[in-house]
């Protein structure tokens, strides 16, 4: 007989196993394991609440409080938050266990809390009822907001077999009380009164607002849209799922306290944020609005509220584009206590594309978001910022939304709620929705297509918003940011040549010919973008698994068979026979190559190899993939590197992170030295990853990534995990980890991150020192001609 403890640990592993099999096999999901899940074999998930955290980074005990104890004893939850059966750990961190399927409590005692980081599952909310709000008369402004936006998106999700991989969550009507969290009772009553109106009356009352139409079903649909957003917040905050998406109509972000506006009646996302604050005591919520319109409604609602950080990029064209407001510009930073918590990135040109959006994330949103350290992330997810949209006229292709989603999944322990806003090109919309959901489900990401260089106008906008926010954010303290007043897009100025050819193409996409053309383009494009996902996520060798005790750890690692000695010798002698000094080195090279082979053959996504000589392993491993015909391998090496690989042919790019200049070699295009010693009192590395490493990596577009940790590493575990987490979006997630370190915590953390857990919590955020910022500045100046995603201002060297 198995003891209760063994039994529950077994369940824990089964669940984890299930997670990866389902995540990775698109169509052929093992039915039996799915019904196991439904039957509640693995019946609980964890979430963590930390009570009363101060908004500003406080002493490190704040973070320490978040770390769960090694095991918790389960007892009934006091019910103050969830009202469900659950647990409460000793200490300030409250761990709640939601018992979904009635597993007896005594069976669940002493679950290793490492399971906590694995809270998993993606909620999908869709209710056909929300297709029953529609325009009844002729109105050329409103006629794009059609019911098919919802049904087409859902059908495309079905087509990719994504629906069945999500946890279905029903929508509900938001209550009047919930709507009143944001809206006035006058507004609520006006909306309610439209249910019984005839067409003429509906048309008249619609005329009271800018760009809105009422239908007799509108009020019901809008309440469902609100309720869907709240259901999603509840699913994520209760730990039932880790993240999710709600497909809703009508959208919300233009709606204001007292007015409908821009196809929006109630502000779904704003209500969700207020609800999360109230019900879960959250103190920091991030709203990312990637819709192509400015969510002025959301801005007004949170303008003075420092607990909600609102970021929006939007087509602006010097206030020419709807809603044509002065307060949509970069200098609207928030009011009163909310100063610094409203971030507007106005696009002054149409045709912005993948690289412009990524640059905005690297140089504006992500550093702010990491410093803000949200407890929950909400996305006002409009896809009218995607290619083919008649409103946005931008050029971003669906796969970029996978990357944007992936970045946001690294915040707030992965607690991410994506709520639909706009998006009016049905094909572009539905493919982008699929990219988002696929990423939420932790599939490997497709490569972003197109030249990786932001256009001049995008850089100008980025520079100005950075300048506007410099007083409010520590990471900007030592950056030189100055306002740029003469913008290249001002019509009274002579036009400067633009670096991005796409951006010059401001041709209007209005006629149906254009729409069809983009539809055909996307049909083909997505065939190239979607790729078969390897059946196994993370590979390791038996030796490592035993030595690092990773078998007691709830991450499913696939053990690969090792090569025999002769085989390795034969392979190694082709490259660097001289490197192999000991038998042990030879064997570890064998493990490394075995795992690498599996990655290159696409049998596994990623893998971890332990090596007593990381430099040697890396030197061999770096040449091996080139024989497979890969064109670009990115190697990030942390610590002392004894063998510097030859990078002259451009097929290898090395970023070497070490304590001080020890190689005597200075940085060049393909060999970059970053002297970075992580601060002992807190984490300052994220600014280097976001502002430097990611832009270089995205500019390079590698086909494979090798991240190696050698001796004498200058980064802590969280910094290294952050590298793994953020770089996973590249190279179709093909990452090989080579680790020369006996630190089990490092191994486990890397394993977890590769297996798809969100990055662990960092130490307290400290701003990088002036010296460190200067180094990045110098490297940026030296390299931004080669690696164009580094550009974030037009002053230096463009
Ligand atoms: C949600 C959304 C757009 C309104 C445009 C009015 N609204 N011209 O995308
Ligand atoms: Zn929009």
């Amino acid at each position: 007989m198995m003891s209760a403890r063994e039994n529950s640990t077994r369940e824990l592993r089964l669940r984890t196993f299930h997670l990866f099999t389902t995540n990775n096999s698109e169509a052929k999901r093992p039915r039996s394991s799915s019904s196991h899940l439904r039957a509640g074999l693995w019946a609980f998930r964890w979430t963590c609440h930390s009570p009363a955290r101060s908004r500003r980074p406080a002493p490190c005990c704040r973070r320490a409080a978040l770390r769960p104890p090694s095991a918790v004893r389960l007892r009934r939850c006091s019910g103050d938050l969830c009202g469900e059966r659950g647990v409460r750990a000793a200490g300030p961190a409250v761990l709640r266990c939601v018992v979904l399927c009635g597993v007896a409590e005594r069976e669940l005692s002493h679950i290793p809390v490492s399971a906590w980081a694995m809270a998993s599952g993606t909620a999908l909310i869709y209710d056909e009822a929300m297709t029953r709000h529609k325009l009844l008369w002729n109105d050329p402004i409103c006629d794009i907001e059609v019911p098919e936006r919802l049904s087409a998106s859902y059908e495309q999700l079905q087509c990719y077999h994504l629906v069945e991989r999500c946890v279905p969550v029903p929508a509900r009507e938001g209550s009047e009380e919930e709507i009143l969290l944001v809206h006035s009772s006058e507004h609520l009553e006006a909306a309610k009164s439209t249910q019984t109106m005839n067409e003429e009356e509906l048309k008249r009352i619609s005329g009271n607002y800018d760009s809105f139409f009422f239908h007799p079903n509108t009020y019901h649909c809008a309440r469902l849209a609100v309720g869907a957003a709240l259901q999603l917040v509840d699913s994520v905050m209760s730990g039932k799922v880790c993240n999710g998406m709600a497909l809703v109509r009508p959208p919300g972000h233009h709606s204001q306290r007292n007015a409908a506006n821009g196809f929006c009646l109630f502000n779904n996302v704003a209500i969700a944020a207020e609800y999360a604050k109230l019900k879960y005591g959250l103190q920091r919520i991030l709203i990312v609005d990637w819709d192509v319109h400015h969510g002025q409604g959301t801005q007004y609602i949170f303008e003075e509220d420092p607990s909600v950080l609102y970021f929006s990029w939007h087509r602006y064209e010097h206030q020419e584009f709807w809603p044509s407001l002065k307060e949509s510009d970069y200098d609207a930073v928030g009011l009163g206590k909310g100063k610094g918590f409203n971030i507007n990135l106005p696009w002054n040109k149409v045709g912005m594309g993948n690289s412009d959006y990524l640059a905005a994330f690297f140089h504006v949103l992500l550093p702010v978001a990491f410093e803000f350290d949200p407890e929950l992330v909400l996305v006002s997810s409009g896809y009218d910022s995607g290619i083919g949209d008649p409103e946005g006229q931008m050029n971003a292709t669906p796969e970029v939304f996978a990357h944007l989603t992936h970045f946001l999944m690294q915040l707030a322990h992965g607690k991410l709620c994506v709520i639909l806003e706009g998006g009016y090109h049905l094909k572009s919309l539905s493919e982008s929705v699929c990219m988002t959901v696929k990423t939420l489900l932790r599939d490997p990401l497709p490569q972003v297509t197109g030249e990786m260089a932001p256009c001049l106008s995008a850089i100008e906008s980025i520079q100005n918003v950075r300048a506007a926010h410099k007083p409010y954010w520590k990471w900007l303290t030592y950056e030189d940011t100055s306002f740029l007043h003469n913008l290249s897009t001002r019509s009274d100025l002579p036009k400067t040549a633009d670096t991005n050819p796409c951006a010059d193409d401001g041709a209007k996409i209005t006629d149906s010919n254009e729409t069809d053309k983009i539809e055909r383009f996307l049909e083909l494009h997505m065939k190239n973008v979607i790729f078969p996902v390897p059946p196994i996520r993370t590979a390791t060798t038996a030796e490592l698994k035993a030595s690092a005790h990773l078998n007691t750890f709830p991450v499913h690692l696939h053990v690969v068979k090792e090569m025999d000695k002769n085989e390795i010798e034969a392979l190694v002698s082709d490259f660097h026979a001289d490197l192999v000094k000991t038998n042990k080195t030879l064997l570890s090279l064998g493990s490394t190559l075995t795992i690498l082979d599996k990655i290159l053959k696409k049998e596994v996504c990623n893998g971890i190899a332990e090596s007593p000589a990381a430099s040697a392993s890396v030197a061999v491993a770096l040449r091996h993939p080139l024989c497979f015909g890969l064109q670009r391998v990115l190697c990030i090496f942390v610590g002392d590197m004894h063998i510097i690989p030859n990078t002259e042919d451009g097929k290898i790019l090395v970023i070497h992170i070490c304590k001080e200049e020890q190689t005597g070699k200075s940085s060049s295009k393909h060999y970059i030295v970053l002297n970075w010693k992580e601060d002992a009192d807190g984490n300052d590395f994220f600014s280097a990853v976001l502002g430097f490493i990611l832009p270089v990596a995205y500019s390079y577009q590698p086909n494979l990534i090798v991240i190696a940790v050698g001796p004498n590493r200058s980064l802590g575990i969280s910094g290294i995990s952050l590298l793994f987490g953020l770089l996973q979006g590249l190279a179709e997630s093909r990452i090989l980890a080579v680790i020369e370190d006996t630190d089990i915590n490092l191994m486990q953390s890397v394993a977890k991150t590769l297996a798809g857990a969100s990055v662990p919590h960092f130490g307290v955020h400290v701003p990088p020192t002036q010296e460190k910022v200067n180094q990045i500045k110098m490297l940026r100046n030296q390299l931004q001609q080669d690696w164009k995603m580094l550009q974030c201002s037009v002053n230096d060297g463009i």
Side-chain angles (χ1 to χ4, degrees):
M1 270 291 285
M2 244 187 273
S3 73
R5 181 182 176 164
E6 280 165 348
N7 195 33
S8 45
T9 311
R10 191 176 63 100
E11 286 173 4
L12 187 113
R13 282 206 219 107
L14 272 171
R15 166 66 185 125
T16 309
F17 181 71
H18 168 88
L19 168 65
F20 295 119
T21 44
T22 54
N23 271 0
N24 293 326
S25 52
E26 192 78 277
K28 292 182 253 59
R29 188 158 74 117
R31 285 275 140 222
S32 58
S33 101
S34 129
S35 46
H36 265 324
L37 178 69
R38 297 267 146 72
L41 180 67
W42 172 250
F44 62 97
R45 296 181 178 89
W46 303 90
T47 186
C48 177
H49 286 281
S50 70
R53 292 167 65 194
S54 62
R55 199 182 54 69
R56 279 283 163 201
C60 18
C61 58
R62 197 192 80 187
R63 313 289 172 138
L66 264 184
R67 227 163 287 134
S70 60
V72 282
R73 205 174 281 279
L74 296 177
R75 57 182 156 88
R76 233 162 243 282
C77 174
S78 58
D80 54 340
L81 288 171
C82 62
E84 291 173 83
R85 290 207 290 164
V87 291
R88 193 176 260 272
V94 181
L95 282 167
R96 277 198 295 134
C97 163
V98 181
V99 179
L100 297 174
C101 307
V103 175
E105 277 183 34
R106 65 190 143 71
E107 288 176 38
L108 297 177
S109 54
H110 294 105
I111 304 297
V113 176
S114 30
W116 168 82
M118 297 301 293
S120 64
T122 295
L124 180 64
I125 307 186
Y126 172 77
D127 190 330
E128 205 211 292
M130 284 182 273
T131 62
R132 292 179 211 132
H133 149 75
K134 46 177 165 284
L135 179 64
L136 293 172
W137 50 86
N138 241 335
D139 178 347
I141 292 172
C142 292
D143 63 8
I144 51 175
E145 210 283 274
V146 294
E148 290 73 26
R149 298 178 52 239
L150 232 51
S151 48
S153 300
Y154 193 72
E155 276 157 28
Q156 193 64 51
L157 285 168
Q158 284 175 318
C159 199
Y160 285 122
H161 298 281
L162 295 169
V163 171
E164 64 215 62
R165 294 172 55 197
C166 293
V167 178
V169 172
R172 65 167 170 90
E173 282 200 338
S175 69
E176 295 193 2
E177 216 181 328
E178 287 159 349
I179 290 163
L180 291 171
L181 285 172
V182 159
H183 297 283
S184 67
S185 50
E186 292 76 18
H187 182 56
L188 177 62
E189 292 307 320
K192 207 194 288 178
S193 72
T194 61
Q195 295 176 95
T196 51
M197 286 182 177
N198 63 33
E199 192 175 319
E200 204 180 311
E201 292 168 312
L202 288 167
K203 205 168 168 177
R204 189 187 45 78
I205 193 171
S206 299
N208 293 344
Y209 305 103
D210 178 1
S211 316
F212 193 76
F213 58 93
F214 276 106
H215 177 280
N217 293 334
T218 300
Y219 178 68
H220 175 58
C221 289
R223 283 188 57 170
L224 282 175
V226 169
L230 303 186
Q231 288 281 82
L232 184 55
V233 166
D234 278 334
S235 303
V236 166
M237 290 311 301
S238 69
K240 182 181 177 186
V241 294
C242 181
N243 57 36
M245 174 155 199
L247 296 175
V248 301
R249 277 181 73 244
H253 70 151
H254 298 302
S255 154
Q256 299 149 37
R257 185 175 146 74
N258 209 14
N261 181 281
F263 315 157
C264 306
L265 182 58
F266 300 134
N267 197 319
N268 310 314
V269 169
I271 296 169
E274 289 294 1
Y275 176 84
K277 278 166 59 179
L278 197 70
K279 183 163 178 187
Y280 300 98
L282 299 193
Q283 301 185 348
R284 293 179 314 280
I285 298 174
L286 168 65
I287 298 178
V288 177
D289 188 337
W290 65 45
D291 187 284
V292 85
H293 300 96
H294 182 216
Q296 86 281 35
T298 312
Q299 171 169 313
Y300 298 150
I301 291 160
F302 297 113
E303 226 159 7
E304 296 186 56
D305 185 347
S307 67
V308 176
L309 170 56
Y310 177 64
F311 170 89
S312 171
W313 64 35
H314 35 268
R315 180 172 169 190
Y316 189 59
E317 297 177 295
H318 303 285
Q319 215 179 314
E320 293 291 305
F321 188 67
W322 190 90
S324 304
L325 302 166
K326 181 76 200 72
E327 63 267 30
S328 304
D329 215 346
Y330 59 82
D331 55 358
V333 296
L335 301 171
K337 282 195 187 127
K339 270 199 164 145
F341 298 94
N342 190 85
I343 304 179
N344 285 333
L345 177 51
W347 300 127
N348 286 316
K349 256 186 124 165
V350 295
M352 295 298 169
N354 297 347
S355 50
D356 305 301
Y357 289 0
L358 289 170
F361 265 50
F362 297 153
H363 299 301
V364 182
L365 173 65
L366 291 175
V368 169
F370 273 89
E371 183 171 332
F372 181 64
D373 186 27
E375 298 157 300
L376 174 68
V377 181
L378 307 177
V379 182
S380 262
S381 186
Y383 296 95
D384 40 16
S385 46
I387 189 168
D389 193 278
E391 278 285 309
Q393 311 217 4
M394 298 300 179
N395 267 328
T397 48
E399 69 276 10
V400 86
F401 292 102
H403 290 259
L404 305 185
T405 303
H406 170 80
F407 290 130
L408 299 182
M409 286 166 72
Q410 311 304 316
L411 297 156
H413 291 291
K415 290 203 221 59
L416 180 59
C417 298
V418 181
I419 296 149
L420 185 68
E421 299 278 1
Y424 307 101
H425 185 289
L426 294 183
K427 178 77 177 164
S428 180
L429 164 69
S430 43
E431 293 290 352
S432 301
V433 166
C434 289
M435 280 291 128
T436 305
V437 171
K438 206 166 149 54
T439 307
L440 292 175
L441 285 162
R442 298 174 200 280
D443 274 1
L445 279 68
Q447 286 188 11
V448 228
T449 46
E451 200 210 343
M452 278 299 115
C455 72
L456 176 61
S457 175
I459 298 169
E460 291 173 343
S461 295
I462 287 170
Q463 177 174 348
N464 276 335
V465 70
R466 281 163 63 102
H469 278 276
K470 186 180 169 114
Y472 310 105
W473 297 95
K474 290 187 212 161
W475 67 280
L476 278 167
T477 309
Y478 301 114
E479 296 270 348
D480 35 39
T481 53
S482 52
F483 287 104
L484 195 72
H485 296 288
N486 296 324
L487 300 180
S488 64
T489 44
R490 278 248 134 87
S491 48
D492 47 308
L493 284 166
K495 280 255 156 71
T496 350
D498 211 303
T499 49
N500 186 348
C502 311
D504 282 336
D505 182 20
K508 294 253 187 256
I509 310 169
T510 41
D511 51 311
S512 58
N513 265 349
E514 241 350 90
T515 307
D516 292 351
K517 208 178 101 194
I518 299 290
E519 187 173 332
R520 283 194 303 275
F521 162 78
L522 283 172
E523 189 65 44
L524 225 134
H525 180 75
M526 295 320 288
K527 288 211 172 82
N528 296 323
V529 161
I530 299 272
F531 55 89
V533 174
I536 294 160
R537 175 102 185 191
T538 305
T540 187
T541 54
E543 199 190 326
L544 169 63
K545 209 170 163 178
S547 70
H549 306 288
L550 290 176
N551 46 344
T552 59
F553 179 70
V555 164
H556 182 73
L557 295 178
H558 180 82
V559 180
V560 299
K561 211 179 134 274
E562 285 174 71
M563 279 186 211
D564 76 46
K565 224 176 126 191
N566 297 335
E567 234 180 311
I568 308 166
E569 259 163 358
L571 243 176
V572 171
S573 63
D574 290 348
F575 306 93
H576 293 277
D578 53 311
L579 300 178
V580 184
K581 304 230 163 59
T582 66
N583 231 348
K584 209 176 152 205
T585 312
L586 184 69
L587 283 176
S588 85
L589 277 180
S591 320
T592 309
L593 288 175
T594 310
I595 295 168
L596 183 55
D597 241 36
K598 300 259 174 212
I599 294 175
L600 296 175
K601 287 182 186 146
K602 303 190 180 181
E603 290 169 25
V604 305
C605 290
N606 56 43
I608 313 174
E610 189 179 31
S611 168
S615 288
S617 288
V618 165
V620 174
L622 283 181
R623 284 296 149 188
H624 186 64
L626 301 177
C627 303
F628 261 78
L630 295 195
Q631 288 305 300
R632 292 177 303 278
V633 182
L634 171 65
C635 172
I636 313 240
F637 199 104
V638 184
D640 296 351
M641 193 182 192
H642 304 297
I643 305 154
I644 306 292
N646 182 346
T647 60
E648 265 157 35
D649 59 5
K651 290 185 172 181
I652 302 173
L653 167 59
V654 175
I655 301 178
H656 184 188
I657 303 163
C658 52
K659 276 183 191 141
E660 64 268 331
E661 188 78 60
Q662 21 136 295
T663 60
K665 250 180 113 168
S666 55
S667 291
S668 59
K669 183 173 177 185
H670 290 102
Y671 178 79
I672 301 169
V673 185
L674 181 62
N675 297 134
W676 198 282
K677 164 115 179 60
E678 212 169 82
D679 198 292
D681 309 316
N683 196 302
D684 62 358
F685 185 55
F686 76 90
S687 60
V689 180
L690 301 171
F692 184 76
I693 296 173
L694 275 182
V696 170
Y698 270 80
S699 303
Y700 186 58
Q701 288 291 307
N703 315 108
L704 172 75
I705 298 179
V706 177
I707 303 181
V709 183
N712 209 9
R713 61 178 160 92
S714 57
L715 296 178
I717 289 174
S718 62
I720 291 170
S721 306
L722 184 65
L723 272 176
F724 278 93
L726 286 167
L727 288 167
Q728 259 183 73
L730 286 160
E732 292 178 4
S733 298
R734 281 191 289 264
I735 301 193
L736 171 68
V738 179
I739 297 181
E740 178 178 337
D741 202 311
T742 46
D743 186 347
I744 279 182
N745 291 325
L746 175 66
M747 279 293 181
Q748 292 196 338
S749 197
V750 169
K752 262 203 263 190
T753 313
L754 285 178
S758 60
V759 293
H761 218 269
F762 308 99
V764 184
H765 167 74
V766 293
T769 59
Q770 177 131 40
E771 199 188 336
K772 280 172 165 165
V773 176
N774 283 343
Q775 187 196 179
I776 299 271
K777 245 185 258 174
M778 272 164 55
L779 284 172
R780 194 184 278 150
N781 280 339
Q782 184 192 341
L783 297 165
Q784 65 185 354
Q785 286 308 324
D786 296 318
W787 309 123
K788 296 205 159 67
M789 293 302 294
L790 285 169
Q791 298 172 20
C792 56
S793 67
V794 296
N795 294 336
D796 28 32
I798 291 179

